[in-house]
Amino acid sequence: MEKVNPVKQAGVAIVLIALSVAGAIIGVQLITTIGVTPNTSIIGALFAMLLARIPLQAFRRYRSIEIQNLAQTAISSATFGAANSLLMPIAVPWALGQPQLVLPMFCGVSAAMLLDAYLLYRLFDTRVFPASNAWPPGVAAAEAIKAGDRGGRQAWLLVAGIVGGIVGSMLKIPMSAFGTAFIGNIWALGMLGLGFLVRAYAQPVAGIDINALYLPHGVMVGAGLVALIQVVMVIRSRRNDEQKVSRGGNEVRRALGLGGAGYLIISALLALAGGLWSEMSIPMLLLFVFYAAFAAFVHELIVGIAAMHSGWFPAFAVALITLIVGILLGFPPLALCLLCGFTAATGPAFADMGYDLKAGFILRGNGADLQQELWGRRIQLIAAMIAFLVSIPVVWYAHNLFFAENLLPPVARVYAKTIQAGAEPGIAGSLLMWAIPGAIIQLIGGPKRQLGVLLATGLLINNAMAGWAVVVGIALRIVIIRVWGERGRSPMEVMAAGFIAGDALYSFFNSLFASGKK
């Protein structure tokens, strides 16, 4: 594979910057009008493929799958970074009527976003976040790029999958969930599907509103705390692991140490810039600084784990949980506003960076050449950082235009209303009660299966069709492997990648059309 440094090649760098600007604008537009952020990785890869078809010498370089990988890395990083890590957090103080907090929040979440992505780069292909795990959107992007490069039977399988994904999505079937069922860990995805179905049918069938009981939140609290302990145990373990990884325990310890220190500094600066020292006692201020850093760190790990196994990451829901715990700790509204935005900013860039690095990992030969793999990751990091840095001024300029028209991400209004409502009676007891089964399930599954975290992820998302899609996908996967054995695995996974890519393409253009009508 051709070694390309986007910083040194002006033409490539210009394309990456242009894609980053486009991705940031798309992300901001869609999260304010529709409330969602579609995966734009496939769009970036297709754009590079189209450039490669232009019959001019200057565009021949875009035939390189390495550059196509950088293109999808840049646009997806900018989209998720601008929408989820930047605009959504600064919309919370605006929704609360605290516009003076927008600037300090923006500075804090910008730093958190950059640290978030860098930490995933450091943690990718360790025993905590192995490259061999699913990362489904990354698989879809890689298969699309490979099919465009090679053609042949695999290309036709991918095209068939993409068509199936588009048609299924038009019929309101969540094809990304269906495709993921063929790629991810069966146990983890089984719990995700179970969570979807329990959340969807608990009230109409049994008359129980599990969300009002804070059951999903409690399960995630218990599972998340056990997952954190399991991460620590994996890091401390010195036994040889069956999974081949390119980075050892020392690298994980250094990365997590850097992350902990970084989040602690950012939370302290946020508290200082936000004026919390004038509203809180010294002990309460210190508690806020340490809790905010801890919550951001845990939020990042949970979102990363869920994204790695399932392609779904409940970033907004987990941030809501940390906010509820902050309310129970007695933090004032100003502190809760900063806490909510800060924790919500960590996780999306982390998860998206994992998808992009997984795509690059596949395209570079699944780590067969370690030196090439590590070099490729560094170049992808550069592309992602270009995208994040470009998204910062784009969001700062755009937020005035959108906020002036009262266009805020819907979830920001949810956070604001939660802060204004304060703690409801019995929340603490409910969280504690449901945390116990969440912790037990996570403990039983172990760090590789992440049963508790994936169950909680499903319980937090009300999507019955996604649940059935996962269950049917798992059943078909089992049948295919039993009938055709390992010969059926490769075509099955290529088709699955097509389903995910088709769903992403349909969601992207459908969201653009819907936002245009608004």
Side-chain angles (χ1 to χ4, degrees), residues 89-90 93 101-112 262-277 285 288-289 292-293 296 334-335 337-343 345:
I90 65 173
L101 291 182
V102 170
L103 179 58
M105 178 79 87
F106 185 74
C107 295
V109 297
S110 296
Y263 288 134
L264 197 61
I265 293 170
I266 295 171
S267 65
L269 292 175
L270 262 179
L272 180 64
L276 297 188
W277 48 271
L285 184 62
F288 170 83
V289 170
L334 203 66
C337 176
L338 294 173
L339 168 69
C340 179
F342 177 44
T343 54

Side-chain angles (χ1 to χ4, degrees), residues 35-177:
V36 299
T37 310
N39 190 328
T40 54
S41 289
I42 303 297
I43 305 301
L46 290 176
F47 181 78
M49 291 177 196
L50 290 174
L51 287 180
R53 298 296 183 268
I54 298 176
L56 294 175
Q57 182 65 29
F59 295 100
R60 289 177 60 86
R61 71 186 71 181
Y62 297 102
R63 295 179 184 176
S64 163
I65 61 174
E66 177 81 357
I67 294 182
Q68 293 171 15
N69 179 220
L70 297 181
Q72 61 90 192
T73 297
I75 193 171
S76 68
S77 297
T79 303
F80 279 104
N84 298 50
S85 297
L86 296 177
L87 188 76
M88 196 286 296
I90 65 173
V92 178
W94 187 275
L96 279 170
Q98 301 285 346
Q100 78 280 4
L101 291 182
V102 170
L103 179 58
M105 178 79 87
F106 185 74
C107 295
V109 297
S110 296
M113 174 184 68
L114 296 173
L115 178 59
D116 201 31
Y118 179 69
L119 287 178
L120 192 280
Y121 164 75
R122 293 280 298 270
L123 290 170
F124 186 77
D125 204 24
T126 63
R127 285 192 292 167
V128 180
F129 292 101
S132 58
N133 274 356
W135 304 102
V139 175
E143 292 298 337
I145 293 172
K146 283 167 59 180
D149 181 61
R150 296 177 182 173
R153 180 171 177 266
Q154 295 290 86
W156 284 111
L157 282 173
L158 184 75
V159 169
I162 291 174
V163 172
I166 293 173
V167 172
S169 297
M170 292 174 67
L171 297 174
K172 308 301 181 184
I173 300 171
M175 296 302 291
S176 58

